[in-house]
Amino acid sequence: MAPRRLGRAFFARQTLNVARELLGQKLVRLHPGGVRLSGWIIEAEAYIGSDDLGCHARHGRTARNESMWGPAGRAYVYFTYGMHWMLNIVTEAEGFPAAVLIRALFPDEGLPSMRRRRRGSPDVRLTDGPAKLCRALGINRSFDGVDLCRAETRLFLESLPQVDEASVTRGPRVGLNTVPEPWQSVPWRFRVRPEIVQGLFKED
DNA sequence: AGCACGATTAACT
DNA sequence: GTTAATCGTGCTC
């Protein structure tokens, strides 16, 4: 049975639901030449609107965060710390700035390419951070604004069964250390339980 | 024009 | 646990 691509309707919903339901879905990067790089999403965070003081949209609409204001199902890719790219997927209605940050993957296809891009990292560290997975998959500025729902894109998501509730943990978002409350502590981070991810690595 | 800092990572004590 | 790396971005002057 051929896997189905996640379409616009999946992303054009409440960001918290999208973030939760992205767990277990497969992120696929099509390499030039047809090689597939992919991994299952195991961690994601919601950033919701310009009132959310942890969200880049708190500055209003700017050149950098423009993609977040666009239609759902596009990539919002930004540069930070002078060296790292981060991948988000835009959610909700066009004109409302919200997105889900993809924070970690369990690597599946294209391991040799990922190892080349992330030279020196063991497989368990290949895609276990938001900047690491962008590096491993070769995601950079050129992906900002790309529509992940179109047939010919080189980046998209494939639909897989939902991760069951018992396998999911929820908590505060990471790295918002100077953000005012309640935004620093709202439980908008979703993860597949670490012990389950460890089990996935052991199966290989 | 200048400045402080970031949705992080790897290396080190 | 602490810190350097490294530069685009948004804010202040």
Side-chain angles (χ1 to χ4, degrees), chain A residues 35-50:
Chain A
V35 176
R36 281 168 59 104
L37 310 195
S38 74
W40 294 295
I41 296 173
I42 56 175
E43 181 176 352
E45 285 176 353
Y47 290 85
I48 313 176
S50 38

Side-chain angles (χ1 to χ4, degrees), chain A residues 100-121:
Chain A
V100 174
L101 172 70
I102 307 302
R103 285 196 58 90
L105 304 175
F106 174 74
D108 180 24
E109 301 161 277
L111 272 287
S113 295
M114 295 192 206
R115 293 184 185 119
R116 215 173 303 127
R117 286 216 178 84
R118 297 261 307 123
R119 198 172 296 282
S121 286

